[in-house]
Amino acid sequence: MNENILVVDDEKEIADLIEVYLKNDGYNVYKFYNGTEALKCIENTPLDLALLDIMIPDVDGFHICQKIREKYYYPVIMLTAKVEDGDKIMGLTLGADDYITKPFNPLEVVARVKTQLRRYTRYNKNVERKSDKMMEYDIRGLLINNKNHKCYLFGKELQLTPIEFSILWYLCERQGNVVSSEELFEAVWGEKYFNNNNTVMAHIGRLREKLGEPAKKPKFIKTVWGVGYTIEK
């Protein structure tokens, strides 16, 4: 195992507790109680996942997440005492992959970490396995390449997270077909889908924002109500 996990939380007891549980599971933990030191670590240390508290006095978790996404694609899990949808939408927009609300069971944190790392590792292996041949779609100005993991809209590169890229690629591969939320979730996340899961919808919304899609008449990712999502031919 030995993956490197960044833990940032100004509540010392919480950060220390997470560190203990992660280390007991074999992870290397880089723990900080402030955002300034965490940002230095991000620049100088190869990381595999970040656990970020939102309410950090000096540099908040949103800003740290945004800085990570400027260069890196590894999973980001936000820790928050808030449950407002606005915070979740903000985090997802900036590139967070998951949310854990305080108070939480440390075992849940470890389980979420394992899930995100498993998905991230599987995604990278899929890219490596397919990298021997060019895999690219050009759909009405949207260019996506699965060899170099880059996506352009009318020549401008889009900064997509691994999950966003996986969703968009999956839909492009099935262009002209409707893909259900269940199929998308199980294909991208590799887990069983439950009816009350809004994860796919949230990530589709974030993708549409990055694509500059109007809510009522999207050009690329269209909703087929009661069925799923499609990119038309």
Side-chain angles (χ1 to χ4, degrees):
M1 190 176 293
N2 297 324
E3 286 95 341
N4 295 331
I5 310 297
L6 174 68
V7 176
V8 189
D9 198 314
D10 66 316
E11 294 185 66
K12 186 176 184 299
E13 296 79 7
I14 292 178
D16 293 349
L17 183 63
I18 293 174
E19 178 186 32
V20 169
Y21 274 81
L22 289 175
K23 282 189 172 181
N24 284 344
D25 238 69
Y27 296 105
N28 299 320
V29 178
Y30 295 82
K31 177 186 63 178
F32 300 94
Y33 305 127
N34 65 77
T36 303
E37 293 300 318
L39 288 173
K40 293 179 183 178
C41 176
I42 290 166
E43 290 299 321
N44 300 313
T45 307
L47 298 170
D48 298 291
L49 183 143
L51 280 160
L52 309 175
D53 181 38
I54 290 180
M55 304 302 290
I56 307 172
D58 61 335
V59 182
D60 66 39
F62 291 140
H63 179 76
I64 297 174
C65 179
Q66 187 174 29
K67 297 302 289 185
I68 289 174
R69 285 294 173 251
E70 289 178 0
K71 293 184 178 180
Y72 308 108
Y73 292 103
Y74 53 76
V76 174
I77 300 175
M78 307 298 288
L79 304 173
T80 176
K82 295 184 176 182
V83 295
E84 285 88 346
D85 288 339
D87 284 329
K88 293 185 178 181
I89 292 171
M90 172 67 79
L92 290 172
T93 301
L94 294 175
D97 297 283
D98 197 4
Y99 261 84
I100 300 177
T101 304
K102 300 177 183 179
F104 49 73
N105 185 327
L107 293 175
E108 178 190 359
V109 175
V110 176
R112 298 279 193 97
V113 165
K114 288 180 178 178
T115 296
Q116 289 297 328
L117 286 173
R118 184 168 61 247
R119 180 204 55 74
Y120 181 58
T121 302
R122 184 181 68 252
Y123 170 79
N124 285 339
K125 286 182 178 178
N126 287 342
V127 171
E128 290 172 3
R129 192 161 53 242
K130 297 173 181 177
S131 63
D132 58 336
K133 59 181 179 179
M134 194 69 172
M135 300 191 68
E136 183 176 275
Y137 289 97
D138 190 346
I139 303 172
R140 298 184 297 279
L142 175 65
L143 180 69
I144 183 169
N145 188 302
N146 203 25
K147 185 174 182 179
N148 59 21
H149 192 242
K150 290 186 179 294
C151 182
Y152 298 87
L153 181 62
F154 305 123
K156 181 180 180 181
E157 184 174 358
L158 301 179
Q159 299 300 318
L160 304 183
T161 68
I163 284 183
E164 292 168 351
F165 187 93
S166 296
I167 291 173
L168 188 57
W169 181 260
Y170 195 85
L171 290 172
C172 287
E173 279 188 313
R174 290 151 185 79
Q175 186 183 0
N177 298 315
V178 180
V179 179
S180 68
S181 293
E182 178 180 0
E183 180 183 344
L184 257 180
F185 185 85
E186 294 184 359
V188 174
W189 279 266
E191 298 179 1
K192 184 66 178 176
Y193 177 86
F194 296 98
N195 290 332
N196 61 347
N197 192 328
N198 294 320
T199 303
V200 171
M201 182 174 65
H203 280 83
I204 290 289
R206 186 173 68 187
L207 258 175
R208 282 173 170 161
E209 287 184 10
K210 292 187 176 182
L211 290 167
E213 296 265 65
K216 293 185 178 180
K217 291 184 178 181
K219 181 179 179 181
F220 297 105
I221 304 175
K222 298 189 176 183
T223 300
V224 180
W225 296 108
V227 184
Y229 303 96
T230 185
I231 293 180
E232 295 178 346
K233 290 185 175 180

